[in-house]
Amino acid sequence: MNGNNPYAGAPGVTDAGSPAAVDLSPDQERQLRRAVAGIVSRTESYLPDSYAVGSELSVGAEGPQATVAVNPPAGHPVSAGFTPDPEDLDAGIAESDTDEVARGLAASAAVQVMDAVGDITPTAK
């Protein structure tokens, strides 16, 4: 019956059930919150006020997870998620990484508006 149980693996190889959740230290959690707040702030700085930017943090079996989303005034919302290693949080998330996420989100949100408005010819392929 082991093969019929979706939570079980091969005996002695994979434990049944879900893995234990990864706990963050208070300093690691502050680092993650600071990094995500920086992404939100940078994304907002690239976009007009009509774009809504928000974030969500969670910690689960996979480790800490952060999602930053942009709801443009027209078109579909866009989001970016990342799961940093707890060890990376001790050293701090590189500003170049968070800035790259912010630029990508802002660009994707702008494309959603252009796509919703329609009749815009792309300048590059």
Side-chain angles (χ1 to χ4, degrees), residues 28-40:
Q28 290 173 326
E29 189 172 339
R30 272 192 294 279
Q31 272 292 63
L32 182 57
R33 287 186 188 284
R34 192 174 300 127
V36 171
I39 293 171
V40 169

Side-chain angles (χ1 to χ4, degrees), residues 21-119:
V22 176
D23 289 329
L24 295 178
S25 72
D27 287 338
Q28 290 173 326
E29 189 172 339
R30 272 192 294 279
Q31 272 292 63
L32 182 57
R33 287 186 188 284
R34 192 174 300 127
V36 171
I39 293 171
V40 169
S41 176
R42 280 190 205 99
T43 304
E44 289 173 334
S45 74
Y46 294 135
L47 296 168
D49 291 338
S50 56
Y51 289 73
V53 183
S55 65
E56 180 179 76
L57 296 175
S58 62
V59 178
E62 303 286 322
Q65 299 171 346
T67 303
V68 179
V70 179
N71 190 11
H76 299 286
V78 294
S79 64
F82 62 99
T83 308
D85 290 331
E87 293 82 32
D88 291 343
L89 294 174
D90 291 332
I93 297 173
E95 190 171 327
S96 61
D97 292 341
T98 58
D99 197 43
E100 181 180 346
V101 172
R103 282 192 313 254
L105 275 170
S108 295
V111 167
Q112 286 298 318
V113 171
M114 290 189 311
D115 190 44
V117 170
D119 220 16

